[in-house]
Amino acid sequence: MKKYILFSILFVSFYAHASHNAKWTLDSCINYALTHNVEVRQRINAARQGELAVTEAKDRVLPNLSGYGSQNFSFGRGLTADNTYANRNTSSFSVGAQLSVPLFQGLRVVRSVKYAETSLKALVEQSEAIKDDVAINVMAAFLQALYSREALGVARTSLGISKDELRRREILLESGKIPELDLYEARAQVSRDELTVVNAQNDSVMALLDLTNLLDIDNDGSFDILPLQDDHLPMPSLEEVWTNMQMANHTLRAAVIRRQAAGENVELAKTGYIPTLSFNAGLGTNYYKTSGFQNENFSAQMRHNFSKSLGFSLNIPIFDGFSTRNSISRARLEELNADLDLDNTRQQLYKTISTAHAQAVAAGSKEKASEAAVENTKAAFDAMTVKYDNGRANATEYEKAKADYINALADRLQASYERQLRIRILRHYNGNLGF
C-alpha cells in the first residue's frame, strides 16, 4: 500500500511537472495542490505522530528488562568487622539483570490506548478537513483567474467599440456633421478604455499568480488554465447539503471525535486513584577483594555469590498532593471546551453553507436579470449609435448608452462566476465528486 501511494505521488509530481507548459484544468490544479500543499503534508505528519502515540500506549504493557554492571575501588582507612579502623584497599565488581512486568496498571494502559486511537481518528479527519479547505481555496482562485480573463475581454470589447467610434467621428468631423469637441471626447474615451484594459490585464496576471502561489509552482509565464467544462451544474438544496454534511463533513467529524477523546481523557485521568501491581525479578553476582585477606578467586566468587530474587510490588495511592484530582478537573474543562468547539463548528458550517446557498440563489437571479439587461442595453446602444450618426443625439448620450451596455456585460459576467463558485462550494460540501 505504501509503495502504491509513493508511486501515485511520484506519478502526479512527474505529470504536473511535465504539464507546466500545458493548460491546467480545475481538477488538475486541485489534485496537484492536495499532493504538494505544505499544510496538508504537515497534517499527514501529525497523523503519523498519532500512530506513534497509539503504538507507545500499547507498548506500555510490555515488560522492562535491564542489565547492570559496576566496578568500585576503595583506598585508605575504613571500619572493619571488629569495629576498628585499618588501612585497607578493597575492590568489588557486580553484574546482573532485572525484570519488571506490569500485571495491573489501574486500567491506565487500556484507557491510554483508547484515548490515543480516538485522537488518531481526529487527526486523520483534520487532515482531510485541511484538504477540503485547500480544494475550496484553489477552486476560488481558479474561478477568479477565469473571471479576470473574461473581464479583460469585456474591457477589450469596450476599447474596440471606442476605437471604432473614434474612426467614425473622424469621418463625421471631416464632413462637418459633428463639432470638434466630440472628436476630443472620443479620443479621451479611448484613453480611458486603454487604461481599463491595462488594469484588467494586471488583474488577470495577478489572479494567475495567486493561483500558482496556492499550487506552490513557479509562474514563468507559461502557466495557463482551461475554462470550465460545465458552467451550469445543478445546485443542491440547503437541507440536502446540511444533512450530508452532518454525516460526512471532515471538519464536523473531527470536532465530534475530539469531543469523544476529551471524555476518554477524563476517564484516563481517573486511573490515578486505582492501585497498580507489578512483578519483579532479578539475578546477579559479585566479586569482592580486600587487601591483607585471603580471597577466593574471581570465578569462584562469581559462582558462589550468584543470587536470584522474585517479588511483587503493589502501589496503593493514598494521597498524591491532589495531583489526580487536578488532572481530572483539567480534563473536564477540556471536555467542556470540546463541547463548545463542536457547537461552534456546527454553527459556522451551517452559516457557511446557508450563506453560500443564498449567494448562489442571488447570483443566479442577478445573472438572469443581467442577461435581459445586456439584451436591452445592447438594443438601446445600437439605436443610440444610429441616432448619433444622424445627428439626433449628442456625444454624452452616446457614451452613456455605451457605458450601460458595458456595465451590463460586466454585471452578467460577475454574477455568472459568483453563481458557479457558490454552487461548486455547495456541491463540494454535499459530497459530489468533481468540482
Side-chain angles (χ1 to χ4, degrees):
M1 184 64 180
K2 291 182 178 179
K3 291 183 178 179
Y4 174 77
I5 295 175
L6 178 60
F7 173 78
S8 300
I9 293 175
L10 292 176
F11 175 77
V12 171
S13 300
F14 172 78
Y15 173 78
H17 177 75
S19 60
H20 275 185
N21 294 326
K23 292 185 177 182
W24 292 53
T25 64
L26 176 57
D27 285 338
S28 62
C29 287
I30 290 177
N31 292 332
Y32 185 90
L34 294 181
T35 306
H36 295 80
N37 182 267
V38 173
E39 193 169 0
V40 170
R41 292 157 67 182
Q42 288 176 334
R43 289 294 183 178
I44 292 175
N45 288 336
R48 291 174 179 170
Q49 291 178 339
E51 293 176 354
L52 290 176
V54 173
T55 302
E56 289 176 350
K58 292 179 178 180
D59 289 345
R60 289 172 186 165
V61 301
L62 299 177
N64 292 321
L65 177 63
S66 62
Y68 65 89
S70 65
Q71 174 69 58
N72 298 298
F73 299 94
S74 177
F75 307 96
R77 292 178 63 82
L79 188 65
T80 67
D82 299 330
N83 201 27
T84 60
Y85 286 89
N87 290 320
R88 290 174 180 173
N89 298 330
T90 60
S91 65
S92 63
F93 170 78
S94 61
V95 65
Q98 294 177 335
L99 173 67
S100 178
V101 181
L103 299 179
F104 179 72
Q105 294 186 333
L107 301 178
R108 174 169 290 274
V109 173
V110 175
R111 294 179 182 178
S112 294
V113 171
K114 189 176 182 180
Y115 173 72
E117 289 176 341
T118 304
S119 298
L120 174 59
K121 292 178 182 178
L123 290 173
V124 172
E125 292 295 336
Q126 289 172 359
S127 176
E128 294 300 319
I130 290 296
K131 292 181 181 180
D132 288 341
D133 294 341
V134 170
I136 290 176
N137 290 337
V138 171
M139 180 167 47
F142 189 94
L143 290 176
Q144 180 63 38
L146 289 179
Y147 166 75
S148 298
R149 176 184 295 174
E150 294 202 30
L152 174 60
V154 172
R156 286 172 174 168
T157 297
S158 178
L159 177 60
I161 294 174
S162 295
K163 287 183 176 181
D164 291 340
E165 180 58 24
L166 176 59
R167 287 190 289 268
R168 282 198 302 269
R169 292 189 187 185
E170 288 174 345
I171 296 173
L172 292 173
L173 181 63
E174 291 178 358
S175 60
K177 294 183 178 180
I178 60 172
E180 190 174 5
L181 177 61
D182 288 0
L183 180 63
Y184 292 149
E185 290 180 351
R187 288 174 178 172
Q189 186 60 45
V190 168
S191 298
R192 287 193 292 269
D193 287 346
E194 287 176 341
L195 177 60
T196 301
V197 168
V198 171
N199 291 333
Q201 286 176 333
N202 293 335
D203 291 340
S204 181
V205 171
M206 292 304 299
L208 278 179
L209 182 60
D210 290 340
L211 179 57
T212 55
N213 287 337
L214 279 176
L215 299 179
D216 196 20
I217 62 176
D218 295 330
N219 187 359
D220 56 0
S222 62
F223 179 83
D224 201 2
I225 57 178
L226 288 171
L228 298 173
Q229 298 297 320
D230 188 356
D231 58 354
H232 286 86
L233 295 172
M235 181 175 65
S237 67
L238 178 60
E239 294 75 14
E240 177 187 357
V241 176
W242 179 238
T243 299
N244 291 331
M245 281 187 67
Q246 293 186 83
M247 295 185 296
N249 181 261
H250 296 295
T251 300
L252 186 56
R253 284 170 58 88
V256 171
I257 296 174
R258 285 197 300 269
R259 167 61 183 83
Q260 179 184 348
E264 293 172 355
N265 192 36
V266 174
E267 298 303 314
L268 176 59
K270 291 179 180 179
T271 59
Y273 289 133
I274 303 176
T276 60
L277 177 66
S278 61
F279 169 75
N280 303 293
L283 53 86
T285 185
N286 61 79
Y287 167 77
Y288 191 85
K289 181 180 179 180
T290 303
S291 61
F293 288 87
Q294 184 67 32
N295 299 280
E296 288 185 312
N297 58 37
F298 180 82
S299 59
Q301 284 199 43
M302 293 293 286
R303 186 172 58 255
H304 295 156
N305 295 338
F306 182 76
S307 64
K308 294 172 286 186
S309 65
L310 298 173
F312 294 89
S313 177
L314 176 65
N315 181 26
I316 302 176
I318 298 176
F319 180 73
D320 60 358
F322 300 115
S323 175
T324 299
R325 187 194 66 176
N326 293 336
S327 297
I328 294 174
S329 299
R330 191 181 306 109
R332 283 175 174 164
L333 287 175
E334 292 175 357
E335 184 181 26
L336 178 60
N337 286 332
D339 280 330
L340 296 174
D341 180 65
L342 177 57
D343 292 340
N344 182 63
T345 300
R346 283 200 178 99
Q347 293 175 8
Q348 292 299 321
L349 286 175
Y350 186 80
K351 179 180 178 180
T352 297
I353 64 169
S354 59
T355 301
H357 187 272
Q359 290 174 332
V361 172
S365 300
K366 182 179 179 181
E367 185 179 12
K368 291 180 180 179
S370 299
E371 289 175 354
V374 168
E375 295 179 1
N376 294 331
T377 55
K378 179 63 168 60
F381 175 59
D382 291 340
M384 183 60 68
T385 301
V386 174
K387 289 178 64 177
Y388 179 74
D389 290 344
N390 293 325
R392 292 185 290 124
N394 57 40
T396 301
E397 293 173 327
Y398 173 86
E399 293 298 339
K400 182 180 183 304
K402 175 202 165 186
D404 290 342
Y405 171 56
I406 296 301
N407 289 336
L409 287 176
D411 289 342
R412 183 181 65 178
L413 179 64
Q414 182 182 24
S416 174
Y417 276 97
E418 178 73 14
R419 173 185 58 80
Q420 293 181 58
L421 174 61
R422 302 307 170 186
I423 288 179
R424 278 174 164 76
I425 290 176
L426 288 171
R427 287 173 59 84
H428 181 69
Y429 280 128
N430 196 40
N432 295 95
L433 298 177
F435 302 94

